[in-house]
Amino acid sequence: MVPIVFVHGIRLSGAAWTEQLEVLGQAAKAVDLPGHGTRRGERFTLDDAADVIAEAIDEPALVVGHSLGGYAAIAAAARYPERVAGLVVAGSTFLPGRTLETPFRVAHRLLMRLPGQGERLSRWQFRSVLPPKLAEAVIGGGIATEVIPDVAEAFADFDVLAKLAAYPGPTWLINGSHDHIRRHERRFLDACADGRLVTVPKAGHYLPMVRGREFAQLVVDAARSLSISAVSSERSESC
């Protein structure tokens, strides 16, 4: 099976993938994007995020991104296609623009007015939505509310469909049926050179974290299909 690199969502860290890393073991790793986790304090840009992802890849890997991580994974695949054997984009099929940026900026302003930048509210939110063990891991990894303006700015001129179209490899677009970020999924699918769309019933935006093992199996299926394709290609070339 090909190596797997996981990329987390906004404000979170690689700890968001704790359950998947437990399931997949040494076959997988998770990165912290600029401005998040162990990289808090760094400026977030999509180019820098793509570089961080590429630096984590030792050999062509399946790159799996959720929410902000999905957009960063697309940026990495377009910038370093030779390092990305396949792409899984979860909860990231909404075209950047005011409709996506405005809620981020409003949330940031509201949270920054609260004591501790809304840390207590954020902890309550994750504890109410996520499985207990994962919620504590996410909280322990840090909640980077201060990065939101940088992310909104990065989205301002990000032509995600062009970046997605520039990547020639296989892409899986995975969305929960109740995810509000799936609005433009058909346009994303049309932009893929080799794409497929997977909709998980009765799941929302936090699908990879709320239904971690189920999502891990979807990732494993994608990784195995890449391995099978690679073997078939090698056999064809040797004939």
Side-chain angles (χ1 to χ4, degrees), residues 8-228:
H8 61 81
I10 191 168
R11 300 200 302 151
L12 306 183
S13 70
W17 300 104
T18 297
E19 190 164 12
Q20 286 81 9
L21 295 180
E22 289 177 353
V23 171
L24 296 168
Q26 294 183 352
K29 66 175 69 172
V31 301
D32 286 346
L33 292 172
H36 299 78
T38 58
R39 294 178 177 271
R40 284 183 82 170
E42 295 181 18
R43 180 78 187 275
F44 178 90
T45 71
L46 282 163
D47 283 345
D48 288 343
D51 291 344
V52 165
I53 294 167
E55 289 166 5
I57 298 174
D58 300 318
E59 58 182 288
L62 176 65
V63 178
V64 181
H66 172 234
S67 196
L68 172 61
Y71 294 99
I74 291 170
R79 193 177 178 99
Y80 301 101
E82 73 285 355
R83 300 193 190 187
V84 180
L87 188 61
V88 172
V89 176
S92 315
T93 52
F94 197 112
L95 291 174
R98 286 185 178 273
T99 306
L100 187 59
E101 293 170 40
T102 299
F104 285 165
R105 294 188 183 277
V106 170
H108 176 257
R109 285 197 296 268
L110 293 175
L111 288 168
M112 294 300 284
R113 291 174 182 171
L114 297 175
Q117 299 179 356
E119 183 81 8
R120 183 176 179 181
L121 177 62
S122 296
R123 290 183 178 192
W124 174 83
Q125 175 193 7
F126 290 122
R127 284 174 174 147
S128 65
V129 171
L130 304 180
K133 182 178 178 180
L134 179 58
E136 297 312 311
V138 165
I139 291 167
I143 303 170
T145 298
E146 70 278 3
V147 80
I148 294 176
D150 280 354
V151 172
E153 183 177 337
F155 278 160
D157 59 354
F158 182 51
D159 189 345
V160 64
L161 295 185
K163 296 294 185 183
L164 190 56
Y167 174 60
T171 300
W172 288 261
L173 306 174
I174 302 178
N175 289 324
S177 62
H178 299 157
D179 190 346
H180 58 292
I181 306 294
R182 61 176 292 208
R183 178 175 177 180
H184 303 116
E185 60 187 19
R186 288 291 170 182
R187 293 182 65 180
F188 277 70
L189 182 62
D190 290 343
C192 294
D194 178 12
R196 63 277 294 150
L197 176 63
V198 179
T199 303
V200 179
K202 300 180 181 179
H205 185 62
Y206 285 124
L207 162 66
M209 293 187 283
V210 174
R211 291 161 65 171
R213 290 187 177 271
E214 182 178 353
F215 187 81
Q217 186 58 55
L218 292 173
V219 172
V220 168
D221 291 344
R224 285 176 175 163
S225 74
L226 291 176
S227 299
I228 292 170

